[in-house]
Amino acid sequence: MTFYNDIYPFYPLQRTSFIFSTHLLTIILVFLMITVSFLLILPGIRGRSRVFWMCRIIISLFIGVVIVALNFTSDWAEARAVTNATYKSFSNAVVNAEVGLHVGLYGINITLKGNPVIQLNETIDYNEMFEWKETIDKYYEEALEKGLPNPILYIAEKFTLHSPCGLIYQYRFSGRYASATLWTAFCCWLVANILFSMPVILYAGYMMMATATFIFFSMASFSTIMNLPSCTLTIGTGSLVTGYSHSFWLALATGVLCAVIGVVVVLLDCLVPEKIREAFSVDMDNSDDDEVNFGEGYVNSSFLEEMTLSVRL
């Protein structure tokens, strides 16, 4: 599509949701249903252990949902700038708008919001997702066909394979490694929850520490994008500088929480193993297995004599 007599191309397709994607909503709803299911059994738990079980369920499911959701968020890093820039190709029209670049593990999200929103007799409020399953060149070509504004096309072009910046290579591989380590952390979290229900609390603590370690590995993998050679993204009168955003700091907080839980569990298991097993309601009936008392029994002496005689014969 091209401009003709100052008429902008029609924008028929639905814009991509940025903050709440369908994957993210599905994950949140699934974990909410699991949380409600576990909370329904709390009235059947008596005494002070009810509060402990409630805290344990909420904290554990919070860690699980964060680890899974971080794979699908689009705000590990972001950059914003308010600028005056040309709106569309083959036109000298300039708009004042806020441009945003949001980086996730599976792609980038580019936003453009006018200030005010309605300018040039058009609503300027764009929100476009470019995924790098293989490359984003396909999405870039679709954006050209739809006639997206120049700021969005300019940023998207920097992440194509033919761009001199070469941002796609480091961003794509960093995101893949970060996602892989996050899924490994999720597996460690599952194993830790299984071990917490068994008389091996010490190893459950170790697995929580392993969960924290893999979360930190994912953050370290994503942080490598900050070591890239500087490629200035200049749009009109402003420029974009990428910095860490909400998902990155949420991953850091979750990793610290897992590390604290793991260290506390290991220390308590070494110092007061009976108390911590009692708190987790494990090994309560098997602590005196070595001192089993069967009481007094009756011995049939005549039967023993007959057995002895048969053996001799």
Side-chain angles (χ1 to χ4, degrees):
M1 291 184 181
T2 58
F3 288 102
Y4 183 75
N5 293 332
D6 295 330
I7 299 176
Y8 297 144
F10 183 57
Y11 191 86
L13 300 180
Q14 185 177 4
R15 294 164 186 172
T16 306
S17 175
F18 164 57
I19 297 178
F20 291 104
S21 64
T22 54
H23 296 291
L24 201 57
L25 282 175
T26 302
I27 293 168
I28 294 175
L29 289 177
V30 168
F31 274 87
L32 281 178
M33 292 176 61
I34 297 174
T35 304
V36 172
S37 301
F38 276 105
L39 292 178
L40 288 177
I41 68 175
L42 284 180
I45 302 175
R46 298 180 180 180
R48 293 178 297 177
S49 59
R50 179 184 301 175
V51 178
F52 172 77
W53 271 86
M54 182 181 66
C55 296
R56 175 185 170 186
I57 291 171
I58 293 176
I59 294 175
S60 179
L61 291 178
F62 169 78
I63 294 173
V65 70
V66 168
I67 293 175
V68 177
L70 286 176
N71 285 277
F72 302 99
T73 56
S74 301
D75 57 347
W76 278 74
E78 67 177 8
R80 296 177 181 271
V82 178
T83 180
N84 295 317
T86 56
Y87 184 45
K88 293 289 183 71
S89 301
F90 309 105
S91 175
N92 295 326
V94 177
V95 296
N96 181 270
E98 181 185 42
V99 184
L101 170 62
H102 311 271
V103 182
L105 302 184
Y106 289 99
I108 58 174
N109 189 277
I110 305 174
T111 59
L112 179 69
K113 187 173 184 178
N115 186 22
V117 176
I118 299 178
Q119 299 182 46
L120 304 177
N121 296 324
E122 186 175 345
T123 300
I124 303 175
D125 190 5
Y126 294 84
N127 201 326
E128 298 298 324
M129 185 72 184
F130 297 87
E131 297 181 354
W132 43 60
K133 296 178 180 178
E134 295 298 332
T135 63
I136 69 170
D137 291 46
K138 177 182 177 181
Y139 298 98
Y140 179 68
E141 293 175 0
E142 293 177 355
L144 289 174
E145 293 177 359
K146 291 191 295 185
L148 295 184
N150 273 351
I152 296 179
L153 295 176
Y154 171 78
I155 298 175
E157 190 271 336
K158 295 294 183 181
F159 289 88
T160 58
L161 292 176
H162 304 290
S163 174
C165 293
L167 297 178
I168 179 63
Y169 299 103
Q170 186 63 38
Y171 274 72
R172 182 176 60 183
F173 288 117
S174 297
R176 285 182 177 179
Y177 290 135
S179 178
T181 50
L182 276 178
W183 285 117
T184 308
F186 179 72
C187 295
C188 293
W189 171 79
L190 288 176
V191 174
N193 281 274
I194 295 173
L195 295 177
F196 272 126
S197 60
M198 301 172 63
V200 283
I201 305 299
L202 178 63
Y203 297 102
Y206 288 152
M207 291 308 299
M208 289 301 297
M209 296 171 66
T211 303
T213 302
F214 283 108
I215 293 176
F216 294 146
F217 281 160
S218 68
M219 296 173 58
S221 175
F222 184 81
S223 298
T224 57
I225 65 173
M226 298 301 176
N227 300 327
L228 290 173
S230 58
C231 183
T232 305
L233 301 177
T234 304
I235 302 175
T237 58
S239 59
L240 297 176
V241 179
T242 306
Y244 296 122
S245 189
H246 306 88
S247 293
F248 184 87
W249 302 119
L250 181 59
L252 176 61
T254 307
V256 172
L257 177 61
C258 293
V260 171
I261 293 174
V263 171
V264 170
V265 168
V266 170
L267 290 178
L268 290 178
D269 188 82
C270 295
L271 298 177
V272 284
E274 296 82 6
K275 294 293 184 181
I276 191 170
R277 283 170 172 76
E278 181 182 356
F280 283 92
S281 301
V282 295
D283 204 21
M284 296 295 296
D285 300 325
N286 301 324
S287 59
D288 297 324
D289 286 346
D290 297 335
E291 299 179 359
V292 178
N293 184 12
F294 293 100
E296 297 181 356
Y298 173 77
V299 178
N300 192 338
S301 57
S302 60
F303 175 77
L304 292 178
E305 291 176 357
E306 292 177 1
M307 291 298 295
T308 305
L309 180 60
S310 62
V311 170
R312 289 178 180 178
L313 293 177

